[in-house]
């Protein structure tokens, strides 16, 4: 197992700067963000120009990672592949294919994204639509020796009422999406706040957990007494991502049992990357604070990784 981090937390830095910092602070891998540019969420970043990526860029990128003895574990483009607007959905589909092409050129085995959801339609119709949309993408990736990995994030901010906006948040849905040829970028933080014990999900699904993210979550049960599990309902417009009773933290500052999780991953033979996904509001807002957060995550996780 190798410890890495998702570069999206440092949108202000270019990839050479991130790679130099990571190697100098005992990180072993990078999950590289490849959004087309700064988007609507502050953790979107463009660290490789996948839409125009060619052999020259591939050679330079491989050289950068060799120089710093880092592994490029996956490319990250987490967008809504079932977006209700046809034009936006086509833009996402096209960019995802660019990411897959870039992964192929670099010999990177995984490209991460979301199943997503059309929030104007019920779940059953979304499942049927995903069964139409994803086989072509999976085939496209497979022809290039790339696997599409799905993070099990709820993406509640995509739904106007704070309900799941990404149909891959539970083991029930994982089993459904595995039949489409998709794999997991497994993140225990999301499981924790929706009431699923992440440790108990490792053994049944280890064959499909090919990449993992390390993000913590801090629960505030007293606030849940006001809002209930689904968060604020009267006014969600100020911040649709604020559920009122929990927030993401860097590993070690929340409720996730990292010792138990890493032990269970080792027990069942996981040898992939554990990639810190830094979305901690306390340790965010500037590169200096973000890197301090990454150092906290490193101090928490590195002693547990052999």
């Amino acid at each position: 197992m190798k410890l890495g981090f998702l570069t999206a937390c440092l949108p202000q830095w270019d990839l050479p700067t991130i790679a130099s910092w990571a190697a100098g602070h005992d990180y072993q891998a990078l999950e590289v963000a490849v959004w087309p540019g700064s988007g609507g969420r502050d953790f979107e970043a463009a660290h490789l120009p996948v839409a125009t990526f060619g052999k020259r860029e591939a050679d330079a990128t491989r050289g950068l990672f060799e120089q710093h003895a880092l592994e490029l574990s996956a490319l990250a483009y987490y967008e809504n592949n079932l977006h209700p607007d046809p034009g936006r959905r086509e833009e996402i589909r096209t960019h995802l294919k660019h990411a897959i092409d870039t992964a192929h050129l670099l010999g990177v085995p995984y490209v991460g994204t979301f199943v997503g959801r059309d929030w104007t339609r019920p779940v059953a119709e979304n499942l049927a639509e995903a069964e139409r949309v994803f086989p072509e993408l999976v085939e496209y990736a497979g022809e290039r020796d790339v696997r599409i990995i799905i993070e099990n994030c709820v993406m509640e901010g995509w739904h106007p009422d704070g309900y799941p906006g990404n149909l891959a948040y539970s083991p029930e849905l994982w089993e459904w999406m595995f039949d489409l040829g998709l794999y997991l970028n497994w993140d225990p933080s999301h499981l924790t706040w929706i009431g699923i014990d992440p440790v108990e999900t490792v053994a049944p699904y280890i064959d499909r957990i090919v990449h993992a993210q390390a993000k913590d979550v801090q629960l505030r049960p007293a606030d849940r007494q006001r809002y209930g599990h689904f968060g604020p309902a009267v006014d969600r417009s100020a911040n649709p991502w604020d559920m009122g009773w929990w927030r993401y933290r860097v590993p070690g500052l929340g409720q996730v049992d990292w010792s138990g999780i890493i032990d269970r991953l080792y027990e069942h033979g996981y040898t992939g990357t554990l990639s810190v996904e830094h979305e901690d509001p306390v340790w965010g807002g500037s590169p200096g604070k973000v890197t301090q957060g990454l150092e906290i995550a490193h101090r928490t996780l590195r002693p547990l990784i052999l």
Side-chain angles (χ1 to χ4, degrees), residues 105-117:
L105 280 174
L106 290 170
V108 174
Y110 309 121
V111 170
T113 191
F114 291 131
V115 171
R117 177 180 181 174

Side-chain angles (χ1 to χ4, degrees), residues 3-7 10 13-32 47-48 60-72 291 294:
L3 180 62
F5 65 85
L6 173 58
T7 66
L10 289 165
W13 285 7
D14 61 18
L15 189 57
T17 303
I18 294 172
S20 177
W21 186 92
H25 290 79
D26 192 34
Y27 275 96
Q28 303 161 295
L30 293 175
E31 179 185 3
V32 176
H47 286 134
L48 284 177
T61 302
R62 281 192 294 268
L64 174 67
F65 277 75
E66 289 170 3
Q67 174 189 347
H68 294 291
L70 290 168
E71 179 177 307
L72 204 173
T291 52
L294 289 170

Side-chain angles (χ1 to χ4, degrees), residues 5-12 42-43 45 47 276 278-279 290 294:
F5 65 85
L6 173 58
T7 66
C9 59
L10 289 165
Q12 306 95 329
D42 61 8
F43 51 84
H47 286 134
V276 175
H278 183 343
E279 295 180 13
V290 168
L294 289 170

Side-chain angles (χ1 to χ4, degrees), residues 1-7 15 27-34 48 61 65 69-76 78 99 102-104 106-112 145-149 184-185 210-214 270-277:
M1 198 183 308
K2 291 186 177 180
L3 180 62
F5 65 85
L6 173 58
T7 66
L15 189 57
Y27 275 96
Q28 303 161 295
L30 293 175
E31 179 185 3
V32 176
V34 296
L48 284 177
T61 302
F65 277 75
L70 290 168
E71 179 177 307
L72 204 173
S73 64
L75 301 184
Y78 288 93
T102 297
H104 174 63
L106 290 170
V108 174
Y110 309 121
V111 170
D145 298 318
V146 175
R147 291 177 178 178
I148 297 175
I149 57 175
L184 262 178
N185 192 3
V210 296
H211 197 274
Q213 289 185 331
Y270 181 76
T271 57
T273 296
L274 183 63
S275 178
V276 175
E277 185 183 17

Side-chain angles (χ1 to χ4, degrees), residues 15-208:
L15 189 57
T17 303
I18 294 172
S20 177
W21 186 92
H25 290 79
D26 192 34
Y27 275 96
Q28 303 161 295
L30 293 175
E31 179 185 3
V32 176
V34 296
W35 275 266
S38 181
R41 303 191 300 276
D42 61 8
F43 51 84
E44 294 178 356
H47 286 134
L48 284 177
V50 297
T52 58
F53 205 80
K55 183 179 184 301
R56 182 175 63 181
E57 291 83 3
D59 290 343
T61 302
R62 281 192 294 268
L64 174 67
F65 277 75
E66 289 170 3
Q67 174 189 347
H68 294 291
L70 290 168
E71 179 177 307
L72 204 173
S73 64
L75 301 184
Y77 177 55
Y78 288 93
E79 274 295 353
N80 187 353
N81 285 279
L82 299 180
H83 198 286
D85 179 79
R88 178 64 184 134
R89 188 192 293 190
E90 182 58 27
E91 289 174 356
I92 292 167
R93 174 178 171 273
T94 298
H95 195 75
L96 180 60
K97 286 188 170 183
H98 289 323
I100 291 167
D101 292 339
T102 297
H104 174 63
L105 280 174
L106 290 170
V108 174
Y110 309 121
V111 170
T113 191
F114 291 131
V115 171
R117 177 180 181 174
D118 178 347
W119 56 84
T120 70
R121 300 166 67 185
V123 170
E125 291 183 13
N126 272 273
L127 297 180
E129 181 67 359
E131 290 165 6
R132 185 189 71 81
V133 167
F134 273 94
E136 186 261 340
L137 290 169
V138 169
E139 182 178 3
Y140 186 89
E143 289 171 350
R144 289 154 180 80
D145 298 318
V146 175
R147 291 177 178 178
I148 297 175
I149 57 175
I150 304 293
E151 184 188 347
N152 54 288
C153 184
V154 182
M155 294 306 290
E156 64 287 344
W158 277 351
H159 195 288
D161 297 318
Y163 303 145
N166 174 40
L167 297 179
Y169 58 86
S170 68
E172 176 192 27
L173 288 162
W174 301 348
E175 292 165 6
W176 160 79
M177 75 176 192
F178 294 159
D179 288 340
L180 302 180
L182 300 167
Y183 290 78
L184 262 178
N185 192 3
W186 179 84
D187 184 328
S189 66
H190 310 300
L191 295 166
T192 300
W193 80 260
I194 66 173
I196 296 173
D197 182 351
V199 175
E200 295 305 314
T201 68
V202 172
Y205 303 106
I206 191 64
D207 290 345
R208 289 281 172 159

